[in-house]
Amino acid sequence: MFGSYDRREVTFLLKDLSHIHLEDTTENREHAIQSGAHYSETLPIEYQPPKAYIDLFFRSLDEFKEKVALSIAVVAEQIYAAKGKQTVLVSLARAGTPIGILIKRYLFFKYHVDLPHYSISIIRDRGIDENALHYILEKHSTGMIQFVDGWTGKGAISIELTNACHLFFQKYGVKIDDTLAVLADPGHCTTVFGTREDFLIPSACLNSTVSGLVSRTVLNNQWIGEKDFHGAKYYHHMIDEDLSNIYLDKITQQFQKVVSIAKQEASKIVDENYGATFSGMNEILRIQKEFGIESSHFVKPGVGETTRVALRRVPWKILIKDKNSPYLKHLFALAEERKFELVHYPQMSYTCCGLIKKVIQ
């Protein structure tokens, strides 16, 4: 048993590191990362939000649950049209995990198929968990893998996935579809998406308490051997704060409202043949230059990535396109609590963009 999800809804291919102390303060981690350590070697201390922030999460969930459900349905319809009953859902831990479960639920609701669903690790600059891929391919030799995540920012994980699948083919002669299915693709980084609007997916507001009480994934040579899966922790002690299954159920209850238009919306995306142009990267490079930032790694665009900066990194500034956007209420709350600057910056396509503070001079 790993994580708080029903084991019939997802199989985590992760090594359990729950007994190992890997957490450090945000400031210490940021200093280490900017000094050359890799972010995947340690974990942030889990943010314990105040009641007001949890209330804000529930209001956001209530406001956007139908929009999330429609995006789930549109993505699921595209996946099923392309791969059908042979689909093996492989979500990228951890933000992709609830999305993968919801896609699995929608396809069972609509087509009465019960697709296998795994959650595995991919890490920027370190690649995908090849041991997990081998495990899935052995279990489903005739299956067609479909990778799933929550959203795209500037496309780092999409590029990492493409490179990892290319390397896997070179090493093992096995070709895997590197297409990443996401709910929101504001960076134009993939061809399978629910929308390209940069909207708030409420699960981005929280960490493990909306992701099955599972930590970020870990790749640390001290604890992960050559034949091991990448690692993660199960925060069982936070079970009383867990909202993971409540979140899934709230979205699932909206499927009946969106099912009649989902297939049509999905067909429209396929027919239009939207390319993955990575056009958002041009904006990132412009912002990087304008604000004198030495690395694009310090520029995190999109609501999901900006929220991660606010929750897990040391923010310098948060750029916001429209102060009245309904997708920014949680960032205003975090800014007040954590004392970072919000800057009105209308000249971008993203709803917001997080700039990480340089702590090494």
Side-chain angles (χ1 to χ4, degrees), residues 29 113 216 247 268 339 349:
R29 287 188 78 247
V113 294
R216 291 202 63 167
Y247 179 76
K268 201 183 297 181
K339 310 302 180 192
S349 63

Side-chain angles (χ1 to χ4, degrees), residues 33 55 71 76 88 106 117 149 180 187 200 225 230 233 239 280 314 335 346:
I33 291 167
D55 291 343
S71 292
V88 180
Y106 176 83
H117 174 217
D149 207 356
L180 183 61
L200 173 62
H230 293 184
K233 296 180 76 166
I239 195 76
V314 178

Side-chain angles (χ1 to χ4, degrees), residues 262-306:
K263 193 168 186 178
Q264 180 182 343
E265 292 297 313
S267 298
K268 201 183 297 181
I269 290 172
V270 174
D271 292 343
E272 290 288 338
N273 196 22
Y274 292 102
T277 62
F278 292 84
S279 58
M281 195 61 191
N282 295 326
E283 289 189 47
I284 301 319
L285 296 175
R286 175 170 54 78
I287 290 169
Q288 180 187 345
K289 184 178 180 181
E290 181 176 340
F291 286 87
I293 299 168
E294 65 181 41
S295 170
S296 63
H297 287 335
F298 287 11
V299 183
K300 304 289 188 179
V303 178
E305 291 306 298
T306 302

Side-chain angles (χ1 to χ4, degrees), residues 137 143-145 165-166 168-170 172-178:
L137 291 167
M144 301 173 71
I145 285 176
C165 290
H166 181 68
F168 198 84
F169 178 70
Q170 285 185 321
Y172 309 110
V174 178
K175 193 166 182 60
I176 300 173
D177 180 9
D178 65 351

